Amino acid sequence: MILRDLAGLPFTYAEVGATAGPPPPGYHHLHASAVIGHGRARFEEAAAEVMRWGMLRGAGLRVTATTEVAAVGSEVVVGLGPVRAPCRVVYVVDEPDRRGFAYGTLPGHAEIGEELFAVRFDPGDDTVHAEISAFSRHGTWWSKLAGPFTSLMQRVVSRRYLRAL
């Protein structure tokens, strides 16, 4: 799959941007977070890493993207073994105490849905949290057939995302 082939492809789901609010019905929902350090400097470092696809790369995934830094409209192909997963960035979070991005699936992805990768600084106790939020369902016959395995892999990779920072 070549990045230029993704331009203009529609998302594979209707609820584009829904990771910014309550998860939509009809999908598997995933929310995970972990404390990854303390202090504003740690937050800034982790935020820069997230925006440069660091959670994905740090989890051992191959990332080929149209931009070095995640931006609305950036297209990305994420690879794990022989599997290629085309996505497009839906929105970017750029707040004083929270940064990240969400991307949604494009045709050719085995799943249908959206995933948010973010870091959050809590000034009350000076902690920095990595956060993942996603909604998904199987999008191909083979991901349905491998349902228990693909669900397990999503949980394993999500833990690796949190440890990547």
Side-chain angles (χ1 to χ4, degrees), residues 31-101:
H31 302 283
S33 67
V35 173
I36 59 166
H38 296 84
R40 177 63 68 179
R42 176 67 180 115
F43 167 74
E44 295 295 340
E45 170 189 296
E49 188 69 16
V50 166
M51 297 306 293
R52 287 182 168 75
W53 317 103
M55 282 179 126
L56 301 162
R57 288 188 172 115
L61 303 176
R62 288 182 315 281
V63 177
T64 306
T66 56
T67 59
E68 190 174 316
V69 176
V72 173
S74 296
E75 289 156 341
V76 59
V77 176
V78 178
L80 178 62
V83 177
R84 302 287 179 271
C87 298
R88 182 178 298 123
V89 175
V90 175
Y91 66 87
V92 168
V93 178
D94 188 9
E95 301 168 0
D97 295 331
R98 191 165 181 249
R99 304 236 183 86
F101 68 92

Side-chain angles (χ1 to χ4, degrees), residues 130-144:
E131 300 178 329
I132 303 294
S133 184
F135 62 88
S136 63
R137 64 179 174 232
H138 302 301
T140 63
W141 66 268
W142 59 267
S143 67
K144 289 176 189 170

Side-chain angles (χ1 to χ4, degrees), residues 13-38:
Y13 62 105
E15 303 87 347
V16 175
T19 52
Y27 292 90
H28 169 74
H29 303 138
L30 176 105
H31 302 283
S33 67
V35 173
I36 59 166
H38 296 84

